[in-house]
Amino acid sequence: MSSAVAAAAAYRPPAPGTGLDSVLPAALRALGVEDLPDGVASAGWSLPESRRVVVVLADGLGAHQLRRGSGHARTLSRLSSPDLPGPGGFACGFPSTTATSLTSLGTGLPAGGHGIVGWQTNYRGRLFNHLAWRDGPDPHSHQPAPTLLQHAGRRDVSMTTVSRPAYSGSGLTRASLRGGAFLGAADHAERTQGVLQGLAQAGRRGRALVYAYWDEIDKAGHVHGPDSLEWGEAVETFDAWVAGLLGQVPEDTVVVVTADHGMIEAPHALRRDLALEPELGEGVELLAGEPRAPQAWCRPGAVGDVVAAWREELGESAVVLSREEAVEAGWFGPVRDGYDTRIGEVVVAMLGQATLLDSRALRPEVLRLRGHHGSVTEAETAVPLLVATT
């Protein structure tokens, strides 16, 4: 099977206006804002018209996991989903990881359009973590596209983000979700209060958009696995919070619940490690991305050899592409000029439950994780799109 055929068979990214990057365009249209920044596609689905919209993103709450654990989510299970155009369900883009997905949500662009192409990347010859953003580039120049939060404010929509205080002013927040007010919320009650406060701060035309972030489900899935009791308890807590929020927001408020990615159980026995397998490490200078979607930078002239060796060694457990093949396949969406070099010279999508990493470059707590995401499987890319109108 050719690489192009393998790439197409393994993954087709969401069509413009149908994936996670269409959530805020749909919310803005519900609020009466029809125009969007250049390059941002209009949503191919709609929300009820309203003067108040709340978008809640539950990190790590994949659609597959939610269906399987529906007994933990009685409120969420009763919410409806909009009619989506075309086949397939709602999904995030590639790679299916938080830094990329949150930036797609905030800008309305796929990874190739905003340039946050994974959890970790190669920045000036060293590994750079987009979540931590330590010793990294200026967030505004690294991701210069206007955010939809900024666009909302320019259209007389009061825009508020409700998230953990630690994320206020972080590099990723400034890159992906800059604009509007930021209300720090350290616990569940403060999150509810933040949403209500944001809704009360309507703009000149009485319109308010609130984005609320919830991270506990992702943490439980990473540490204990998405099939664990702890994951189910985290979903139950979130479900109860959503139920309480729906009972407190003003009438005629539209509440949207979605997520940034799903997750799989990744047994350590199926891990492939460059530090332990010289045949995988040969020719590789730096391994970035995520264990489910690694991106490699190679020694000069070694890209072809690395691609060939990895295809041989990984076999049917992965799709291995060169950078050019991944871009041509559209995995990152249209790639802005100059952003192609942010993508690894070798791009891998792990299939099944396997991971590929370099244990020399990762912290021990990362190596202990049981749940992972980042790749192209439906378990990792399918996310919920649930709507309630109070």
Side-chain angles (χ1 to χ4, degrees), residues 54 80-81 84 105 107 179 187 242 261 278 295 312 331 373 386:
V54 179
S80 61
S81 297
L84 298 173
L105 177 82
T107 62
D187 58 34
V242 171
H261 56 76
Q295 300 179 35
E312 176 68 23
W331 279 19
H373 53 83
L386 306 173

Side-chain angles (χ1 to χ4, degrees), residues 66 96 166 359:
L66 183 59
S96 52
S359 59

Side-chain angles (χ1 to χ4, degrees), residues 34-96:
E34 295 290 344
D35 68 310
L36 295 169
D38 291 343
V40 178
S42 298
W45 51 278
S46 61
L47 294 170
E49 293 182 4
S50 179
R51 289 186 172 275
R52 292 175 295 272
V53 177
V54 179
V55 174
V56 180
L57 187 138
D59 197 325
L61 183 63
H64 281 219
Q65 296 79 42
L66 183 59
R67 284 196 295 270
R68 189 171 64 242
S70 60
H72 297 291
R74 297 180 180 179
T75 297
L76 297 176
S77 298
R78 292 196 294 266
L79 301 185
S80 61
S81 297
D83 292 328
L84 298 173
F90 197 65
C92 66
F94 176 81
S96 52

Side-chain angles (χ1 to χ4, degrees), residues 224-382:
H224 303 286
D227 296 325
S228 65
L229 174 63
E230 290 84 356
W231 185 90
E233 290 174 340
V235 173
E236 287 184 5
T237 299
F238 175 67
D239 188 75
W241 180 82
V242 171
L245 180 68
L246 294 176
Q248 295 184 63
V249 297
E251 291 186 3
D252 298 323
T253 298
V254 175
V255 178
V256 183
V257 178
T258 189
D260 53 347
H261 56 76
M263 191 174 291
I264 67 154
E265 293 271 352
H268 294 174
L270 298 179
R271 175 187 294 169
R272 307 298 298 270
D273 188 348
L274 271 62
L276 303 177
E277 301 179 63
E279 62 274 18
L280 290 174
E282 180 66 31
V284 177
E285 288 191 334
L286 184 147
L287 190 67
E290 18 269 304
R292 287 287 294 168
Q295 300 179 35
W297 276 261
C298 305
R299 298 190 185 100
V303 172
D305 291 339
V306 171
V307 169
W310 283 14
R311 285 176 179 166
E312 176 68 23
E313 289 294 329
L314 299 176
E316 295 184 356
S317 69
V319 177
V320 181
L321 304 174
S322 69
R323 172 193 289 160
E324 293 75 18
E325 290 169 337
V327 170
E328 183 179 357
W331 279 19
F332 295 89
V335 177
R336 179 175 170 173
D337 289 346
Y339 284 4
D340 57 335
T341 58
R342 300 185 184 186
I343 299 169
E345 294 174 307
V346 182
V347 177
V348 180
M350 301 303 291
L351 306 176
Q353 295 178 286
T355 53
L356 173 64
L357 51 79
D358 185 346
S359 59
R360 296 164 295 190
L362 298 176
R363 303 187 312 276
E365 54 265 40
V366 174
L367 297 175
R368 288 194 292 267
L369 298 179
R370 296 182 57 180
H372 284 281
H373 53 83
S375 191
V376 298
T377 70
E378 288 189 13
E380 293 160 275
T381 60

